[in-house]
């Protein structure tokens, strides 16, 4: 994929698929998102090889991930097609406001399009919780919809 630098004078980066060797970088990015345990190599390898999950990274000129987006997609009966969800989007602090997040989201939108996955609905959960995050997603073309999410808490307690 070509280098994408939408902000003038921003350092060059390129968007590529995550690889097994990115496990530590992905864990570090997840910690920056507020998940103190990040992830482990086994889980990263499992997710990367899963047919309904894709992770794209923005890599600097030394090919080190400076941002990532995780996309889940699956068929859904009521949509009579595929639904996709952005699960995680994070850019390391020193690379923020340089077009990296927007380029990652553009990659997701292109991947969800008719030439690839033909997704009928693309969603981001929880984006409305923080004003700055909501504004970012709205600038990327997302609209806020009202909905409620319920979780089965016993599973979370069991796997704590």
């Amino acid at each position: 994929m070509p280098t994408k630098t939408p902000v003038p004078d921003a350092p060059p980066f390129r968007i590529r698929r995550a690889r097994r060797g990115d496990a530590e970088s992905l864990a570090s990015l997840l910690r920056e998102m507020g998940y103190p345990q990040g992830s482990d190599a086994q889980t990263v390898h499992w997710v990367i090889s899963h047919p309904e999950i894709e992770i794209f990274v923005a890599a600097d000129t030394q090919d080190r991930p400076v941002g990532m987006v995780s996309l889940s997609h699956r068929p859904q009966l009521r949509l009579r097609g595929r639904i996709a969800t952005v699960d995680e989007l994070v850019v390391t602090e020193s690379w923020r406001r340089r077009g990296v997040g927007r380029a990652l989201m553009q990659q997701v939108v292109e991947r969800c399009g008719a030439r690839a996955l033909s997704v009928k609905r693309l969603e981001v959960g929880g984006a409305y919780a923080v004003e700055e995050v909501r504004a970012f997603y709205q600038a990327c073309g997302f609209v806020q919809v009202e909905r409620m999410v319920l979780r089965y808490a016993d599973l979370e307690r069991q796997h704590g």
Side-chain angles (χ1 to χ4, degrees), residues 49-75:
S49 65
H50 195 284
E52 293 179 328
I53 301 175
E54 299 180 36
I55 300 174
F56 296 98
V57 299
D60 66 11
T61 56
Q62 281 82 45
D63 203 37
R64 293 178 300 226
V66 297
M68 63 155 264
V69 63
S70 173
L71 174 70
S72 299
H73 48 86
R74 66 201 178 282

Side-chain angles (χ1 to χ4, degrees), residues 3-57:
T3 299
K4 296 182 180 182
T5 359
V7 176
D9 301 324
F13 62 91
R14 70 183 184 103
I15 307 296
R16 64 168 171 79
R17 288 187 181 270
R19 300 186 290 248
R20 294 171 74 93
D22 294 329
E24 184 51 45
S25 294
L26 297 181
S28 177
L29 286 166
L30 287 170
R31 285 190 291 274
E32 281 194 57
M33 261 187 100
Y35 299 100
Q37 294 181 358
S39 190
D40 57 69
Q42 181 179 354
T43 303
V44 169
H45 297 172
W46 176 38
V47 170
I48 287 173
S49 65
H50 195 284
E52 293 179 328
I53 301 175
E54 299 180 36
I55 300 174
F56 296 98
V57 299

